[in-house]
């Protein structure tokens, strides 16, 4: 298979959807009009049937480089050849906070030195390649049409240029050739929801779009209050999280992609284009810590809406994930006609795990609300009533088997992490009620919170392993438990916790990279193996720092930074070869990176007695 490697991509977006641009100048993934809409370009999952929007030099050997324009989400792919140096500058102007069908993929072609001819291929495959379309070349561009979606291709040029004399439509695709000399700028804009037919755009207007987009991102990033040691890395993670936010609702998608494998050739291929309660909750802490109060409030509002909508529902007040608009229809199906990334099948669309019972989500949700309240984000009257209803339900239902954080499909168990986070949910609810003088059945909540604590200490601790284990009926270790000291369940230097950390060092850690658990020792209902989980590696850094192993933490953190791709993005996992695998980029990984950087900064400052220099 010839699909471009997962890590050989940068991401652009407009806060309602996103596109992945390969180092070869090809847009290999793009869904429209939302993150969770059907794909238009899907070559990442099928080279031949997925569709792509490719720009590359014609008739010459070349090498490529890719970078982000500083402090922005504007991506530059450079082509270097003996004839000249050219660039394609890709970005999407932000769409705003109102859901809209208008989205623009802007591709600016520039010759920097010498001369360069570009071959351009626009080959959409609508609805995951299941829907036929027509392509019509016009005087100023082209139109791609289906019965559900229409895309307009506008050309960027000056009056003296030829009028698409070298452009042609063939089998629904459009191919164009552009010749440039040093200093010339041309390009195209692919637009959904256009007001009219394709139009001719002048270079000056093109440049204005570029300037406005850069200005937006730099203005947004300037609000960051982070002054720690890893500013560039943290800034890129913050921009990445912002790019994965659906602005109309504040929902954060776990990743903009689907079906990218956790093992190449394996079946662990999930659709991540949805908003997990867990991820959205973690984002509140990370963004508040960086000073992005509006975004944290937006995520908190999204979460509050879900609690108010579903309080009292069957199977628990909350689903584990939702679509970006808050709906819960995530029926899983398999795209039989796609080969999958490097032959990794099945190619799953939708996510059957949405119906699982994962009790930990209540802890993450309540912890984020507690952190938000401490930062001055209001909990209104209706919000408190919904929180109280959730906690009343949890107080009566925490002691039951569940599927757990990793969404395994091997049956329900009394997972230690789920119990841990139920404890956290009740603990934060009690603290909120006391701090804000809200009515609550504190005696009941306290009794159940303390019962969870005693149960975890008795049954979650395994004497033989001298460690906390994945669930009560196993000796398997689980790196989800790295959050035990973070939420305050155990002291970070408690002997039981230090012993658990030592056990993880021996079994789950390899070259500072961390596995979720050992799938061979813990049957999870799925075939195959997986790589190390990047979010777990960053959680390991935080745990080391809290445990006083500061040098180990810094070494692990710096080493993990070398596994980022060329523009600072992380997928879900790292394979044995060091290759990035899994959905990309993954929000949870970047959230964990930010938390690790903040925790490590604090530990280093405490050791030296000096705050980080601004």
């Amino acid at each position: 298979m010839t699909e471009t490697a997962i890590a050989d991509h940068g991401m652009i977006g407009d806060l309602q959807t996103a596109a992945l641009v390969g180092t070869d100048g090809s847009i290999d993934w793009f869904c429209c009009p939302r993150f969770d809409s059907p794909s238009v370009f899907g070559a990442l999952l099928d080279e031949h049937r997925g569709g792509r929007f490719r720009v590359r030099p014609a008739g010459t050997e070349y090498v490529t480089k890719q970078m982000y324009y500083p402090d922005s989400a504007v991506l530059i792919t450079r082509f270097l050849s003996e004839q000249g140096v050219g660039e394609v500058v890709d970005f999407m102007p932000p769409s705003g906070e109102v859901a809209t069908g208008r989205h623009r993929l802007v591709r600016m072609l520039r010759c920097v030195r010498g001369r360069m001819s570009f071959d351009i291929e626009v080959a959409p495959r609508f609805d995951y390649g299941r829907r036929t379309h027509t392509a019509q070349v016009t005087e100023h561009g082209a139109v791609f049409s289906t019965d559900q979606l229409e895309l307009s291709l506008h050309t960027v040029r000056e009056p003296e240029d030829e009028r698409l004399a070298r452009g042609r439509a063939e089998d629904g695709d459009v191919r164009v050739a552009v010749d440039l000399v040093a200093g010339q700028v041309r390009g195209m804009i692919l637009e959904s929801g256009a007001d009219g037919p394709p139009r001719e755009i002048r270079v000056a207007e093109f440049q204005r779009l570029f300037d406005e987009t850069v200005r937006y991102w730099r203005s947004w990033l300037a609000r960051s209050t982070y002054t720690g040691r890893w500013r560039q890395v943290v800034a890129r993670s913050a921009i990445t999280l912002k790019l994965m936010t659906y602005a109309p609702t504040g929902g954060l998608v776990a990743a903009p992609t689907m079906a990218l494998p956790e093992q190449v050739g394996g079946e662990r291929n999930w659709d991540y284009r949805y908003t997990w309660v867990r991820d959205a909750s973690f984002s509140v802490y990370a963004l508040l810590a960086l000073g992005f109060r509006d975004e944290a409030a937006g995520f908190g509002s999204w979460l509050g809406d879900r609690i108010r909508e579903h309080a009292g529902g069957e199977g628990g007040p909350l689903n584990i994930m939702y679509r970006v608009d808050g709906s819960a229809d995530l029926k899983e199906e398999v795209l039989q006609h796609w080969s999958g990334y490097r032959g990794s099948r099945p190619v799953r669309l939708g996510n059957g795990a949405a119906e699982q019972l994962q009790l930990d989500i209540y802890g993450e949700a309540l912890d984020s609300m507690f952190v938000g309240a401490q930062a001055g984000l209001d909990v209104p009257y209706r919000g408190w009533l919904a929180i109280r209803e959730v906690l009343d339900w949890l107080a009566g239902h925490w002691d039951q088997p569940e599927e757990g954080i990793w969404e395994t499909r091997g049956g329900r168990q009394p997972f230690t992490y789920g119990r841990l986070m139920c404890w956290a949910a009740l603990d934060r609810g009690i603290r909120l009620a006391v701090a804000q003088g809200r009515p609550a059945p504190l005696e009941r909540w306290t009794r159940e919170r303390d019962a969870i604590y005693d149960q975890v200490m008795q049954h979650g601790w395994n004497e033989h392993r001298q460690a906390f284990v994945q669930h009560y009926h196993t000796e398997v270790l689980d790196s989800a438990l790295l959050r035990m000291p973070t939420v305050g369940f155990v002291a970070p230097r408690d002997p039981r916790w230090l012993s658990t950390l030592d056990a993880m060092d021996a079994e789950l850690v390899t070259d500072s990279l961390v596995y979720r658990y050992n799938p061979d020792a813990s049957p999870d209902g799925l075939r195959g193996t997986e790589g190390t989980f990047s979010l777990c590696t960053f959680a390991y850094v935080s745990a080391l720092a809290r445990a006083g192993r500061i040098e180990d933490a810094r070494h692990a953190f710096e080493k993990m930074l070398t596994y980022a791709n060329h523009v600072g993005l992380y997928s879900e996992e790292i394979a044995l070869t060091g290759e990035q695998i899994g959905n990309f980029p993954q929000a949870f990984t970047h959230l964990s990176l930010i938390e690790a950087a903040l925790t490590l900064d604090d530990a280093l400052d405490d050791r030296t007695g000096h705050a980080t220099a601004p």
Side-chain angles (χ1 to χ4, degrees):
M1 307 302 293
T2 57
E3 286 86 4
T4 302
I6 293 169
D8 287 345
H9 291 86
M11 179 174 62
I12 59 174
D14 65 1
L15 309 184
Q16 294 189 22
T17 187
L20 297 186
V21 185
T23 53
D24 61 353
S26 176
I27 294 178
D28 293 330
W29 186 256
F30 174 61
C31 298
C32 189
R34 301 190 326 199
F35 293 106
D36 55 357
S37 297
S39 67
V40 174
F41 303 123
L44 188 60
L45 291 177
D46 193 303
E47 170 77 11
H48 304 291
R49 292 178 287 270
R52 59 158 37 97
F53 185 171
R54 180 161 54 193
V55 175
R56 60 182 176 182
T60 184
E61 293 185 357
Y62 58 90
V63 296
T64 66
K65 306 284 185 180
Q66 198 173 63
M67 60 174 282
Y68 277 111
Y69 198 75
D71 295 337
S72 81
V74 174
L75 192 67
I76 301 174
T77 306
R78 306 181 70 213
F79 304 100
L80 299 88
S81 72
E82 291 186 359
Q83 286 74 34
V85 177
E87 295 178 345
V88 55
V89 181
D90 289 305
F91 59 94
M92 297 182 70
S95 292
E97 297 183 357
V98 177
T100 176
R102 188 187 186 199
H103 303 277
R104 291 170 289 175
L105 277 171
V106 181
R107 312 209 72 182
M108 178 187 291
L109 309 182
R110 176 186 292 130
C111 184
V112 180
R113 300 175 62 187
R115 60 176 55 250
M116 184 161 285
S117 296
F118 291 95
D119 281 342
I120 302 161
E121 177 189 18
V122 189
R125 299 293 183 267
F126 293 88
D127 189 22
Y128 311 104
R130 298 181 296 190
R131 194 172 299 275
T132 60
H133 72 278
T134 61
Q136 179 184 6
V137 175
T138 71
E139 182 182 12
H140 300 306
V143 178
F144 304 91
S145 301
T146 73
D147 57 352
Q148 292 188 345
L149 183 64
E150 184 174 279
L151 297 177
S152 298
L153 184 69
H154 310 286
T155 57
V156 178
R157 57 192 173 195
E158 295 301 294
E160 64 271 16
D161 295 340
E162 294 183 24
R163 295 186 177 277
L164 267 183
R166 300 177 60 194
R168 67 187 189 280
E170 181 180 325
D171 296 329
D173 302 338
V174 169
R175 292 174 173 81
V176 182
V178 176
D179 299 326
L180 299 178
V181 297
Q184 282 189 312
V185 175
R186 298 296 184 267
M188 60 212 69
I189 298 175
L190 186 67
E191 181 178 20
S192 67
D195 295 332
R199 64 188 181 91
E200 192 172 87
I201 297 172
R202 296 288 175 258
V203 172
E205 181 180 345
F206 211 28
Q207 186 65 44
R208 281 197 299 274
L209 277 177
F210 171 84
D211 293 339
E212 289 169 1
T213 303
V214 170
R215 189 179 307 116
Y216 170 87
W217 285 105
R218 289 185 170 176
S219 175
W220 180 81
L221 190 60
R223 291 162 42 202
S224 174
T225 57
Y226 179 73
T227 58
R229 296 166 176 82
W230 294 281
R231 295 183 207 178
Q232 185 173 354
V233 172
V234 169
R236 181 51 53 195
S237 288
I239 291 174
T240 301
L241 293 171
K242 180 70 170 175
L243 279 171
M244 288 191 280
T245 302
Y246 184 65
T249 63
L252 174 75
V253 295
T257 56
M258 56 176 271
L260 290 177
E262 296 175 13
Q263 177 193 20
V264 174
E267 68 168 333
R268 301 165 187 261
N269 316 319
W270 315 114
D271 190 346
Y272 272 23
R273 299 170 302 153
Y274 310 114
T275 299
W276 268 250
V277 168
R278 183 181 300 112
D279 298 35
S281 300
F282 272 101
S283 70
V284 173
Y285 166 80
L287 292 169
L288 279 175
L290 297 182
F292 295 112
R293 184 184 174 90
D294 291 346
E295 283 70 22
F299 295 144
S301 178
W302 179 91
L303 184 59
D305 287 343
R306 304 293 80 76
I307 290 175
R308 286 189 291 273
E309 290 168 358
H310 297 281
E314 293 183 7
L318 283 174
N319 293 338
I320 69 169
M321 70 181 88
Y322 299 86
R323 291 188 176 275
V324 291
D325 62 0
S327 61
D329 178 18
L330 283 78
K331 182 180 179 181
E332 189 173 300
E333 60 179 297
V334 173
L335 299 181
Q336 301 286 357
H337 63 293
W338 270 7
S339 61
Y341 175 80
R342 298 186 179 177
S344 302
R345 304 185 71 178
V347 178
R348 288 187 174 92
L349 164 66
N351 201 310
E355 300 176 359
Q356 289 188 353
L357 176 66
Q358 297 179 18
L359 293 173
D360 69 280
I361 64 173
Y362 299 101
E364 284 110 5
L366 265 295
D367 190 45
S368 71
M369 291 182 172
F370 178 70
V371 170
Q374 285 185 311
L377 301 182
D378 294 332
V379 179
Y381 171 70
R382 288 182 59 239
W384 177 252
L385 292 182
I387 288 172
R388 191 171 66 183
E389 190 170 350
V390 165
L391 290 176
D392 283 341
W393 179 90
L394 189 63
H397 292 83
W398 64 264
D399 194 12
Q400 61 177 309
E402 42 130 2
E403 274 88 2
I405 180 176
W406 301 128
E407 297 172 9
T408 58
R409 303 194 177 188
R412 293 184 175 183
Q413 296 287 349
F415 283 102
T416 305
Y417 182 75
R419 299 294 196 270
L420 162 72
M421 296 310 292
C422 288
W423 174 91
L426 289 164
D427 180 73
R428 281 14 173 211
I430 293 166
R431 294 191 194 191
L432 273 173
V434 172
Q436 299 193 358
R438 301 298 174 87
L442 292 178
E443 184 177 345
R444 182 188 182 213
W445 291 0
T446 301
R447 182 177 65 251
E448 297 304 320
R449 180 198 65 181
D450 294 348
I452 298 171
Y453 182 89
D454 289 338
Q455 187 187 93
V456 169
M457 283 299 186
Q458 181 178 355
H459 299 290
W461 172 259
N462 185 280
E463 283 291 339
H464 179 256
R465 295 303 307 270
Q466 285 293 292
F468 291 102
V469 291
Q470 186 176 66
H471 61 76
Y472 296 170
H473 308 311
T474 186
E475 292 189 352
V476 172
L477 303 177
D478 190 337
S479 61
L481 297 176
L482 287 165
R483 290 195 60 80
M484 292 186 87
T486 304
V487 299
F489 187 88
V490 296
R493 304 190 190 190
D494 183 289
R496 279 192 168 194
W497 174 246
L498 295 179
S499 178
T500 300
L501 201 53
D502 288 341
M504 290 185 181
D505 285 340
E507 183 171 308
L508 299 183
V509 181
T510 171
D511 191 37
S512 300
L513 302 175
V514 182
Y515 289 98
R516 295 187 298 177
Y517 53 87
N518 182 349
D520 295 329
S522 177
D524 56 15
L526 298 165
R527 295 187 303 273
T529 59
E530 60 186 18
T532 58
F533 255 60
S534 297
L535 73 92
C536 296
T537 302
F538 287 121
Y540 176 63
V541 170
S542 297
L544 289 175
R546 288 188 170 91
R549 294 170 55 182
I550 299 173
E551 287 304 318
D552 290 342
R554 185 165 192 172
H555 183 238
F557 185 74
E558 294 285 0
K559 186 174 285 187
M560 185 58 188
L561 295 184
T562 69
Y563 286 97
N565 82 340
H566 58 287
V567 288
L569 304 183
Y570 289 89
S571 66
E572 185 176 23
E573 301 184 27
I574 306 294
L576 183 63
T577 60
E579 174 188 7
Q580 294 209 36
I581 52 177
N583 284 297
F584 172 89
Q586 194 205 29
F588 214 159
T589 298
H590 286 275
L591 287 166
S592 296
L593 182 156
I594 291 171
E595 181 178 17
L598 293 167
T599 303
L600 191 50
D601 271 326
D602 287 344
L604 289 166
D605 291 345
D606 288 344
R607 187 178 67 176
T608 60
H610 298 287
T612 304

